[in-house]
Amino acid sequence: MSQDLKTSGETALKKALVLSKRPSNALKGFFEEIAQLTLFSMRFFREVFVPPYELRELGKQAFLIGYKSFPLVAITGFIMGLVLTIQARPTLSEFGAESWLPAMVAVSIIREIGPVITALIFAGKVGSGIGAELASMKVTEQIDAMEVSGINPFNYIVVTRVLSATLMLPVLVIVADSISLYGSYIGVNLQGDVSFQLFFLQVFEKLSFMDVFPAIIKTFFFGFSIAIISCYKGYNATKGTEGVGQAANSAVVLASLSIFIIDMVAVQITSLLN
């Protein structure tokens, strides 16, 4: 009886030790992941200036990432402007400030909602696609085959995709913002009668350079972080076909988190400048 109690006590102690180590192991793994991602990003900045420059692949990726994301971004932008206008109208009407509706919606969309929502959509579509594609190439040893044939796989695969995403996301955000404003114009006219010229006159009267410029600049960082995280996850995928799904999933999660962190930093910097 006493032996059984001693054995069970030792087992419980071992379990407690294992459980106590889990948080520290998870924290250690998180910081190791951040360190590896930082090294991967530094390799990108080193390789981006090394010839040969894969301009044809860069153009192909810009088309795939930008043009093929356009329908999803356009639909999302239209709904975003329409819904925000419909939701904001009753509150402004209570205070007799309905005439401020176009300006308020425009500032909200261009400063914050348009860039963040478009980047999240971009991370879900493009980030997961890049992560899954590179992971598939990794597990089927296509990346190894490139190295054997004398092609620099990092330059050909990673650099072109990161540059394309960094350049194309700001363009998509500008398109989404423009379509959102048109959706807002439709929303205003659902319960009123405002001309197209008057609506956009009210919009541009209240918009300033400091509303537009910081919002566009931060989208370059959004695009870079989405692409570099997705490439890192796909390029370092393991565990065969199981790793493909894990790479795509973790790429979207980390990229979405990075968008919120970058946005928080950008808002703080913009507030200090203002």
Side-chain angles (χ1 to χ4, degrees):
M1 182 67 179
S2 61
Q3 183 63 33
D4 292 342
L5 288 173
K6 183 180 179 183
T7 305
S8 62
E10 290 176 350
T11 306
L13 181 60
K14 288 179 180 176
K15 287 182 177 178
L17 288 172
V18 170
L19 289 174
S20 65
K21 287 181 179 178
R22 283 181 181 175
S24 61
N25 289 339
L27 196 61
K28 181 182 176 185
F30 172 76
F31 284 114
E32 285 179 352
E33 189 88 350
I34 295 297
Q36 292 296 326
L37 179 59
T38 304
L39 292 174
F40 192 81
S41 302
M42 290 171 66
R43 184 180 176 187
F44 165 80
F45 287 111
R46 190 172 65 247
E47 298 269 357
V48 73
F49 299 108
V50 176
Y53 305 109
E54 305 290 350
L55 297 179
R56 178 173 292 184
E57 180 66 13
L58 179 65
K60 176 187 171 185
Q61 291 302 322
F63 172 78
L64 292 174
I65 289 173
Y67 179 74
K68 294 203 169 182
S69 300
F70 174 77
L72 182 61
V73 168
I75 293 169
T76 305
F78 180 81
I79 294 172
M80 189 164 56
L82 182 65
V83 170
L84 185 60
T85 303
I86 294 172
Q87 291 285 352
R89 180 194 287 274
T91 304
L92 290 178
S93 297
E94 284 183 13
F95 294 97
E98 199 169 348
S99 61
W100 282 78
L101 186 58
M104 191 213 74
V105 171
V107 170
S108 302
I109 287 174
I110 290 174
R111 271 190 180 182
E112 196 63 33
I113 300 174
V116 172
I117 296 295
T118 306
L120 290 174
I121 296 287
F122 193 80
K125 185 180 185 302
V126 175
S128 62
I130 291 176
E133 182 188 13
L134 266 64
S136 300
M137 296 175 74
K138 179 74 174 180
V139 300
T140 56
E141 299 181 350
Q142 293 181 51
I143 294 177
D144 296 334
M146 283 185 183
E147 289 179 346
V148 171
S149 61
I151 299 173
N152 183 346
F154 194 94
N155 199 332
Y156 188 80
I157 297 172
V158 176
V159 170
T160 54
R161 283 161 177 76
V162 174
L163 281 179
S164 300
T166 305
L167 296 173
M168 292 312 298
L169 182 57
V171 176
L172 289 172
V173 168
I174 292 171
V175 171
D177 288 349
S178 303
I179 296 176
S180 291
L181 293 180
Y182 184 73
S184 176
Y185 167 71
I186 300 293
V188 167
N189 278 280
L190 287 178
Q191 297 180 12
D193 186 16
V194 178
S195 69
F196 191 79
Q197 291 80 5
L198 179 60
F199 176 84
F200 281 95
L201 182 65
Q202 292 175 330
V203 166
F204 290 112
E205 272 185 352
K206 301 300 178 185
L207 279 177
S208 67
F209 177 75
M210 288 306 292
D211 292 323
V212 178
F213 185 69
I216 297 300
I217 292 298
K218 69 182 177 184
T219 59
F220 286 98
F221 292 94
F222 287 165
F224 175 79
S225 68
I226 292 168
I228 199 73
I229 289 171
S230 303
C231 287
Y232 167 74
K233 285 294 180 181
Y235 203 81
N236 295 287
T238 54
K239 300 179 184 177
T241 54
E242 183 186 349
V244 177
Q246 288 181 351
N249 184 52
S250 57
V252 174
V253 172
L254 278 180
S256 302
L257 182 62
S258 74
I259 290 167
F260 289 116
I261 293 173
I262 293 170
D263 188 57
M264 181 179 66
V265 173
V267 168
Q268 292 299 322
I269 293 173
T270 307
S271 299
L272 289 174
L273 292 175
N274 286 331

